[in-house]
Amino acid sequence: DVKVTQSSRYLVKRTGEKVFLECVQDMDHENMFWYRQDPGLGLRLIYFSYDVKMKEKGDIPEGYSVSREKKERFSLILESASTNQTSMYLCASSLDTGGYGYTFGSGTRLTVV
Amino acid sequence: RKEVEQDPGPFNVPEGATVAFNCTYSNSASQSFFWYRQDCRKEPKLLMSVYSSGNEDGRFTAQLNRASQYISLLIRDSKLSDSATYLCVVLIYNTDKLIFGTGTRLQVFP
């Protein structure tokens, strides 16, 4: 089974801090995604990547950036954390396009105080 | 208008009941359709894909109506372990991004 590992399950950060959320997958998947999930809003796509050093903005990229230096690792960066970025962050990977075979990590619940 | 709309529920049903969830999508260029299941405080997991001809997986039946832009999920003989949030998910043609509905919560009671 594909495993997608997010480095932290719970994280508390202060407003203005730079925050790194790490995601690693172990099945040589090309595609990786970062979503955030909020009550009543569902999962919203922040950024995605189809290859090393490649990144594309999703629907809500403002206040975030990403890094994909290696195929297996996709990092989400909050340049200057704000309270409205308190959320559940979910990383996903997939082997191919077409929506099949998305595997999610277990999520990082980030609280910005 | 949201691209994928679902009734948030909750649907509270007794064990053994049959329950149906509906979902509508607004983008006619939607290509592929899925139901994901998400347990409380866990990540979403693929439950089943949805095909135009309809498809069944054990107690679960999924239907797609492209003309009405409507997807359904039917669960027969509900089990306590079916309690979860069910997410309707759509892939838009010529993109590789999944669009998620906000989910329908199901609670099965003894």
Side-chain angles (χ1 to χ4, degrees), chain B residues 52-89:
Chain B
S52 297
S53 54
N55 49 301
E56 192 173 306
D57 183 2
R59 297 182 292 108
F60 298 83
T61 301
Q63 295 276 356
L64 166 65
N65 184 322
R66 284 190 184 269
S68 303
Q69 295 186 190
Y70 170 98
I71 304 158
S72 66
L73 177 68
L74 182 78
I75 305 175
R76 289 181 300 278
D77 189 23
S78 298
K79 311 288 184 195
L80 295 175
S81 57
D82 293 335
S83 298
T85 297
Y86 291 84
L87 305 172
C88 176
V89 186

Side-chain angles (χ1 to χ4, degrees), chain A residues 64-91:
Chain A
Y64 303 94
S65 61
V66 289
S67 170
R68 194 161 182 204
E69 296 295 318
K70 294 185 178 181
K71 192 175 187 180
E72 67 270 18
R73 186 180 295 270
F74 191 36
S75 303
L76 180 69
I77 303 156
L78 285 66
E79 299 291 343
S80 176
S82 63
T83 54
N84 63 13
Q85 290 179 310
T86 292
S87 186
M88 169 67 89
Y89 289 88
L90 289 156
C91 174

Side-chain angles (χ1 to χ4, degrees), chain A residues 2 10 17 22-23 30-31 36 39 50-51 57 70 72 75-76 79 81 85 95 112:
Chain A
V2 176
Y10 298 95
E17 275 193 78
E22 304 289 346
C23 175
E30 302 289 338
N31 311 318
R36 64 177 280 178
Y50 295 144
D51 202 353
K57 291 180 180 179
K70 294 185 178 181
E72 67 270 18
S75 303
L76 180 69
E79 299 291 343
Q85 290 179 310
L95 178 61
V112 182

Side-chain angles (χ1 to χ4, degrees), chain B:
Chain B
R1 184 185 169 190
K2 289 180 182 172
E3 288 198 72
V4 179
E5 297 217 49
Q6 296 181 252
D7 181 343
F11 284 59
N12 296 306
V13 303
E15 272 187 292
T18 295
V19 61
F21 307 136
N22 302 321
C23 166
T24 57
Y25 60 94
S26 60
N27 192 326
S28 58
S30 299
Q31 175 183 10
S32 303
F33 308 88
F34 310 90
W35 283 100
Y36 274 68
R37 172 195 167 124
Q38 186 172 24
D39 293 295
C40 189
R41 301 187 184 280
K42 296 287 184 90
E43 70 274 20
K45 293 185 179 178
L46 178 66
L47 178 67
M48 58 197 302
S49 304
V50 187
Y51 305 116
S52 297
S53 54
N55 49 301
E56 192 173 306
D57 183 2
R59 297 182 292 108
F60 298 83
T61 301
Q63 295 276 356
L64 166 65
N65 184 322
R66 284 190 184 269
S68 303
Q69 295 186 190
Y70 170 98
I71 304 158
S72 66
L73 177 68
L74 182 78
I75 305 175
R76 289 181 300 278
D77 189 23
S78 298
K79 311 288 184 195
L80 295 175
S81 57
D82 293 335
S83 298
T85 297
Y86 291 84
L87 305 172
C88 176
V89 186
V90 168
L91 179 75
I92 309 300
Y93 178 73
N94 219 26
T95 77
D96 296 304
K97 299 182 294 183
L98 293 182
I99 310 296
F100 287 79
T102 53
T104 298
R105 196 155 77 85
L106 171 66
Q107 185 67 49
V108 181
F109 58 88

